[in-house]
Amino acid sequence: MAKITLQSLLMLLVMTVVTGLLYPLVITLVAQTVFPKQANGSLIMVNGKVIGSALLGQKFSQDKYFYTRPSSTGSYPYNAAGSGGSNLGPTNEDLIKQMKERADNFEKTNHGNSKIPTDLITSSASGLDPHISVAAARYQAQRVASARRLNVEIVRNLVDKETEQRQWLIFGEPRVNVLKLNLALDELR
Amino acid sequence: MSSADITQLLIYVIALTFLSFPLGLYMADVYDGKTTILARLIGPFEKLTYRLSAVDSSTDMNWKQYAVSMLLFNTIGLIAVYALQRLQPFLPLNPQGLAAVSPDSALNTAISFASNTNWQGYSGEQTLSYLTQMLGLTVQNFVSAATGMAVLASFIRAFARQSTDKIGNFWVDLVRTVFYILLPLSIVLALALVSQGTVQTFNSYAQYSPIEAVKDSNGAAVSAPLIALGPAASQVAIKQLGTNGGGFFNVNSSHPLENPTPLSNFLEALSILIIPAGLCWTFGKMVGQIRQGAVIYVSMFVIFLAGLLICTLSESAGNPLFHQIANLANISNMEGKEVRFGIFNSTLWATATTVASNGSVNSMHDSLLPMAGMIPMLMIQLGEVVFGGVGSGLYGMLVFALITVFIAGLMVGRTPEYLGKKIEAYEVKMASLIILIPPSIVLVGTAIAVSLECGLSSLCNHGAHGFSEILYAFSSAGNNNGSAFAGLNANTPFYNVALGIAMWYARFWLAVPALAIAGSLVAKKTVPKGAGTLPTDTGLFVVLLISVVIIFGALTFFPALALGPIVEQLQMVFKK
């Protein structure tokens, strides 16, 4: 028993050094050398300031920006240091109530001239979803164009340009990265 | 299902089958002690490890020595994880200055990771320092997976050897699993994930200035919002490969910095099943009959595919209650899902992560529609034998195979045998323990929790769905899965302790009887096939085995499921 205990201790020590120290260190070293941008969070710099990550959504509330999806992260929406989903079940009345409220808000700004894409009024799994569906982007184009006094065609073209297809044309879903789209909008003039 | 979904499904299935096969044959060589292609590179480190830990790699153990080594090693690992969490404020690599974890939560997490469950009551980015994640959790990700695979290797040897009491050397099986299988695969996967955007850094959380200023719920400005970072990719790789499932961040693989793109999602989802699937072929090769491995693989695969189709079709139907919302484009259930994955990649993951005892998630299972959410729960309740945990899933399935030949033997009145070994009273008793313990833990645990105020006060949803949250929690812990209906606030003393106990027994009270079966079978002579032998490498046996697994699981859990997801489905359909 004493011998096995000693072996267990020593084995755990060796495994800790190999899998707990060397392994993450080697991966970090290679990652920081070969993929420095990705390994550090795909941060976006504008005028020398970090304004966010290309992979993380942010909350937008002004009419001139495309909105991201509702977020249920801790403390405040799109808290990138406190990811979380709503975990509301499918028959929970709060879920339907929240969705109705969000839908009403969109109806006001969009004048009910087209149907609301569901992803725009449901909260994501991470609370940090950077994307909306292509339909959700097109749905908002008129509002953004009016707020910016732009021809709606210009905004729609920008949405098309920023649309990401399925990866390798196979994997995942077509989508629009909202932060990138909004940055592209700000660069229009 | 759209044609795009079907294409992705086909690619997944083809990749799984064609990659698991060569991997399985390679793993057989690892456990048979043969020289592999990595031997020249890794061999010296392997020998050095034996020397440093005072292990004699040339002697084999009997089942009791094997079990004691396994238990002691895992217990000491558990204590180390507990200590790291309690001491993290005094240790380095804690850039956010995170405090010591509370005793009940630290105990729960220690058991959780030592038992290959990776149930998470805490939120990763808000609780654990980089050091705790690396030295505690990442290490247990490796060694708990390797423990399961080691026990499996010795279980298979019980059929491959005869008339001996030696089932292998635990230390050798452990070290060879980590060095020759888990580490090489993890390195490849980790780097692939980083290329897609999974973070891997020791920098502290990044401060940033979002385009619109951030306000908290009281309307006060948040002056310095942060982006959580860390050495995630290295941990994500092994948590996917070793059926661990414990996320680096709170929301696991739905977090964009843990699973950034559809391609990273495909790789992570494939990694969930690749080793458990490969071990079927390892089994076939080690017992010298690949067809026996193929039968197990096909049986698992059929149950997986059936579950996946039911889950996907139910979820794709959408939520009829959404019809209450005027002017909505469709009723697709995107609550708790990420746009880049959509419905299909979420249900594929939900099914894969629960047939295997992985437990990582890329969508919130709590928000799945009732029938779609029942599938992950049922897959866990089948006992984590459909692919299951690495190693533990296959020895669980082989125990079901023993039960199947036993039942078939009863019907024709002959002594049952499997792979030439006679199955007698002792084996059947141990097998019964293995298949009865998890359901007992699940049902008794659920019953206690729903009767106590401290069990009910943690609920996020109420009514039938609330019952499902508790049933899911005990199913997950009682079968070492680790996923959750995460609305349940499980970071309370009651749940931390109750689920901790469940995870401990589900892991080690199954591994020890499995080793006992191995010890008993390895001593027996291999008898040649006779006229009364039930062939176990045929389609008929596939049907029998699937039937036994499904009937046993369904009979045990149907009443409980009727109170949860089934009632909720009816409520949903009739409320609209």
Side-chain angles (χ1 to χ4, degrees), chain A residues 1 4-5 7-12 14-16 18-21 23-25 27-28 30-32 35 38-41 43 49-53 55-56 58-62 65 69 75-76 78 80-92 95-96 99-100 103 107 112 114-119 121-126 128-133 166-168 170-173 175 179 183, chain B residues 4 8 11 49 52-54 69 72-73 76-77 125-126 134-135 138-139 142-143 171 174-175 178 183 186 191 194-197 199-203 208-212 214-217 225-228 234 237 250-251 254-256 260-263 266 319 321-322 324-325 327-330 332 334-342 345 364 366-370 460-461 465 486-487 568 572 575:
Chain A
M1 203 72 158
I4 301 179
T5 310
Q7 287 173 329
S8 300
L9 270 172
L10 293 171
M11 184 63 79
L12 183 65
V14 177
M15 286 296 163
T16 303
V18 175
T19 64
L21 274 177
Y23 161 67
L25 286 176
I27 299 290
T28 308
V30 177
Q32 291 287 343
F35 308 109
Q38 292 96 318
N40 291 309
L43 302 177
K49 270 199 318 195
V50 178
I51 59 104
S53 161
L55 296 175
L56 298 175
Q58 299 185 2
K59 185 175 165 65
F60 292 97
S61 56
Q62 300 173 49
Y65 287 123
R69 301 178 62 195
S75 307
Y76 54 88
Y78 285 93
S83 57
S86 76
N87 283 308
L88 292 175
T91 54
N92 194 316
L95 172 66
I96 307 296
M99 288 174 69
K100 268 185 186 156
E107 290 286 281
S114 56
K115 298 203 167 211
I116 308 169
T118 316
D119 59 303
I121 57 167
T122 46
S123 54
S124 61
S126 62
L128 301 169
D129 196 341
H131 298 113
I132 53 177
S133 64
R166 293 175 200 276
Q167 201 164 7
W168 296 357
I170 297 170
F171 296 116
E173 303 289 333
R175 60 208 181 276
L179 177 60
L183 285 174
Chain B
Q8 293 183 73
I11 292 177
T49 303
L52 288 176
S53 43
S69 307
L72 268 176
F73 177 71
I76 290 176
E125 63 265 45
Q126 296 182 328
M134 285 163 57
L135 294 194
T138 305
V139 173
F142 277 97
V143 297
W171 305 117
L174 180 86
V175 170
V178 172
L183 261 178
S186 297
L191 293 175
V194 176
S195 80
Q196 294 300 299
V199 290
Q200 180 72 26
T201 174
F202 289 102
N203 292 340
Y208 73 116
S209 321
I211 297 198
E212 288 189 7
V214 176
K215 289 190 181 115
D216 67 16
S217 49
L226 295 172
I227 296 175
S234 52
N250 185 37
V251 288
S254 66
H255 198 297
T261 66
L263 180 62
F266 176 78
N319 187 339
L321 300 180
F322 289 1
Q324 296 172 18
I325 296 151
N327 212 18
L328 195 60
N330 58 61
S332 162
M334 284 303 287
E335 182 72 21
K337 291 190 187 62
E338 300 281 297
V339 168
R340 62 192 180 286
F341 305 144
N345 279 298
M364 292 299 114
D366 215 347
S367 297
L368 288 170
L369 297 174
C460 163
N461 296 282
H465 197 83
E568 193 187 11
M572 183 178 83
K575 200 152 75 174

Side-chain angles (χ1 to χ4, degrees), chain A residues 25-166:
Chain A
L25 286 176
V26 167
I27 299 290
T28 308
L29 201 71
V30 177
Q32 291 287 343
T33 316
V34 185
F35 308 109
K37 193 165 159 44
Q38 292 96 318
N40 291 309
S42 309
L43 302 177
I44 301 178
M45 306 276 285
V46 174
N47 303 329
K49 270 199 318 195
V50 178
I51 59 104
S53 161
L55 296 175
L56 298 175
Q58 299 185 2
K59 185 175 165 65
F60 292 97
S61 56
Q62 300 173 49
D63 282 350
K64 63 172 182 167
Y65 287 123
F66 284 86
Y67 298 163
T68 41
R69 301 178 62 195
S71 160
S72 301
T73 53
S75 307
Y76 54 88
Y78 285 93
N79 178 356
S83 57
S86 76
N87 283 308
L88 292 175
T91 54
N92 194 316
E93 281 167 9
D94 289 344
L95 172 66
I96 307 296
K97 208 176 105 199
Q98 287 179 10
M99 288 174 69
K100 268 185 186 156
E101 282 169 16
R102 293 165 186 156
D104 286 347
N105 283 336
F106 273 112
E107 290 286 281
K108 276 178 216 149
T109 46
N110 282 274
H111 313 295
N113 50 16
S114 56
K115 298 203 167 211
I116 308 169
T118 316
D119 59 303
L120 214 46
I121 57 167
T122 46
S123 54
S124 61
S126 62
L128 301 169
D129 196 341
H131 298 113
I132 53 177
S133 64
V134 181
R138 291 205 180 123
Y139 172 77
Q140 301 183 64
Q142 181 64 57
R143 183 197 76 231
V144 173
S146 308
R148 290 181 178 256
R149 293 163 206 267
L150 284 171
N151 187 328
V152 70
E153 279 312 308
I154 297 177
V155 178
R156 280 193 189 131
N157 286 339
L158 200 61
V159 168
D160 289 343
K161 206 175 127 228
E162 291 294 324
T163 298
E164 298 171 36
Q165 294 308 323
R166 293 175 200 276

Side-chain angles (χ1 to χ4, degrees), chain B residues 405 415-423 527-530 532-534 536:
Chain B
V405 293
T415 308
E417 56 196 68
Y418 186 60
L419 301 175
K421 299 280 186 169
K422 286 217 172 337
I423 308 303
V527 293
K529 266 186 212 160
T533 306
L534 172 73
T536 53

Side-chain angles (χ1 to χ4, degrees), chain B residues 5-21:
Chain B
D5 298 344
I6 293 167
T7 311
Q8 293 183 73
L9 172 63
L10 283 178
I11 292 177
Y12 185 85
V13 165
I14 291 169
L16 178 67
T17 307
F18 284 90
L19 290 175
S20 68
F21 186 70

Side-chain angles (χ1 to χ4, degrees), chain B residues 6-203:
Chain B
I6 293 167
T7 311
Q8 293 183 73
L9 172 63
L10 283 178
I11 292 177
Y12 185 85
V13 165
I14 291 169
L16 178 67
T17 307
F18 284 90
L19 290 175
S20 68
F21 186 70
L23 176 66
L25 300 187
Y26 166 80
M27 291 192 287
D29 285 349
V30 171
Y31 292 121
D32 281 335
K34 291 188 185 144
T35 311
T36 68
I37 44 165
L38 293 172
R40 196 179 281 178
L41 188 68
I42 299 173
F45 294 101
E46 185 193 350
K47 289 202 184 76
L48 181 67
T49 303
Y50 297 141
R51 193 145 19 107
L52 288 176
S53 43
V55 163
D56 175 8
S57 61
S58 62
T59 55
D60 272 2
M61 303 171 172
N62 65 31
W63 82 265
K64 283 178 186 158
Q65 294 165 326
Y66 204 102
V68 170
S69 307
M70 187 267 295
L71 284 174
L72 268 176
F73 177 71
N74 279 276
T75 309
I76 290 176
L78 190 161
I79 295 169
V81 178
Y82 181 84
L84 274 167
Q85 294 177 82
R86 299 287 291 143
L87 298 174
Q88 70 177 13
F90 313 107
L91 297 172
L93 272 180
N94 184 359
Q96 301 314 120
L98 295 165
V101 182
S102 71
D104 57 303
S105 174
L107 177 71
N108 180 282
T109 304
I111 298 176
S112 173
F113 279 76
S115 64
N116 197 247
T117 311
N118 297 31
W119 169 269
Q120 294 173 293
Y122 61 92
S123 155
E125 63 265 45
Q126 296 182 328
T127 316
L128 298 182
S129 73
Y130 292 173
L131 189 83
T132 310
Q133 297 254 28
M134 285 163 57
L135 294 194
L137 304 194
T138 305
V139 173
Q140 286 304 318
N141 272 297
F142 277 97
V143 297
S144 70
T147 297
M149 292 166 75
V151 173
L152 171 71
S154 71
F155 197 87
I156 297 176
R157 290 189 193 109
F159 297 100
R161 299 177 178 180
Q162 56 174 327
S163 310
T164 169
D165 66 337
K166 303 283 190 264
I167 59 169
N169 181 313
F170 174 70
W171 305 117
V172 173
D173 290 339
L174 180 86
V175 170
R176 287 181 70 88
T177 304
V178 172
F179 283 16
Y180 288 95
I181 301 169
L182 298 177
L183 261 178
L185 286 175
S186 297
I187 291 171
V188 173
L189 180 62
L191 293 175
L193 291 179
V194 176
S195 80
Q196 294 300 299
T198 307
V199 290
Q200 180 72 26
T201 174
F202 289 102
N203 292 340

Side-chain angles (χ1 to χ4, degrees), chain B residues 357-373:
Chain B
S357 80
N358 188 289
S360 62
V361 297
N362 78 347
S363 67
M364 292 299 114
H365 291 188
D366 215 347
S367 297
L368 288 170
L369 297 174
M371 285 298 104

